[in-house]
């Protein structure tokens, strides 16, 4: 808040950065933008007040951006979304088919298990597990032999 007040009083960005130990002008400009758009509440710690956007809102934002051809920051400002990269993530998820209506699950749970995993039987999974164990053992043995060969070559010095 003090950095923004200093800026409003005409203090330069570089002086503000030095005064408050801020690295990067983008940080100060982002604070100013948030303050101008949302007031003091726009400066609150974003980690403490995460917003979960529902599916229809995400689609609305993506459609508006596509229709208007607006950039990510302009779209974020229009919809008062704090991080423009979030919109990009939504667009990528939509393209990949991962953007699905919420089913009331918690944030950390994926919407659907991997389709390939879903169709495998226990026997197939056990066979895959056995194969991977053999492969790891082979690679470990190969690595040990390579280390042994390297050690042997360093002991043996040419005359």
């Amino acid at each position: 808040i003090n950095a923004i007040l200093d800026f409003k009083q005409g203090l330069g960005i570089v002086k503000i950065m030095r005064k408050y130990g801020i690295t990067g002008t983008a940080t100060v400009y982002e604070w100013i933008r948030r303050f101008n758009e949302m007031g003091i509440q726009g400066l609150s710690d974003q980690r403490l007040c995460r917003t979960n956007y529902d599916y229809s809102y995400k689609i609305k934002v993506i459609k508006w951006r596509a229709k208007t051809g607006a950039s990510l920051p302009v779209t974020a400002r229009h919809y008062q979304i704090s991080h423009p990269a979030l919109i990009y993530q939504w667009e990528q998820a939509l393209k990949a088919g991962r953007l699905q209506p919420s089913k009331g699950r918690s944030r950390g749970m994926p919407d659907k298990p991997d389709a390939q995993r879903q169709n495998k039987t226990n026997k197939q999974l056990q066979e895959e597990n056995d194969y991977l164990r053999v492969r790891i053992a082979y690679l470990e043995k190969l690595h040990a032999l390579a280390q042994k060969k390297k050690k042997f070559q360093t002991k043996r010095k040419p005359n």
Side-chain angles (χ1 to χ4, degrees), residues 13-105:
I13 292 289
V14 175
K15 288 182 182 178
I16 292 171
M17 289 170 49
R18 286 186 191 137
K19 182 176 179 181
Y20 296 103
I22 301 167
T23 56
T25 58
T27 302
V28 179
Y29 284 120
E30 179 65 15
W31 290 346
I32 293 165
R33 181 190 68 77
R34 285 187 189 175
F35 181 78
N36 289 338
E37 290 180 6
M38 298 177 255
I40 293 282
Q41 294 166 348
L43 301 175
S44 67
D45 189 353
Q46 296 300 313
R47 290 172 287 156
L48 298 177
C49 57
R50 288 186 186 249
T51 303
N52 290 326
Y53 300 99
D54 67 350
Y55 175 77
S56 59
Y57 185 76
K58 293 175 186 178
I59 295 298
K60 177 181 169 184
V61 171
I62 292 169
K63 283 183 178 179
W64 184 86
R65 176 170 139 74
K67 180 180 163 189
T68 62
S71 66
L72 290 170
V74 169
T75 305
R77 273 187 231 115
H78 182 76
Y79 285 98
Q80 295 185 345
I81 297 170
S82 59
H83 301 289
L86 192 58
I87 300 166
Y88 177 77
Q89 291 172 356
W90 297 344
E91 290 174 347
Q92 295 305 306
L94 182 64
K95 286 178 188 174
R98 291 179 282 119
L99 189 64
Q100 301 291 328
S102 176
K103 294 178 180 135
R105 295 182 179 199

Side-chain angles (χ1 to χ4, degrees), residues 97-116:
R98 291 179 282 119
L99 189 64
Q100 301 291 328
S102 176
K103 294 178 180 135
R105 295 182 179 199
S106 64
R107 280 188 128 232
M109 278 182 88
D111 285 336
K112 290 183 178 178
D114 184 21
Q116 188 179 11

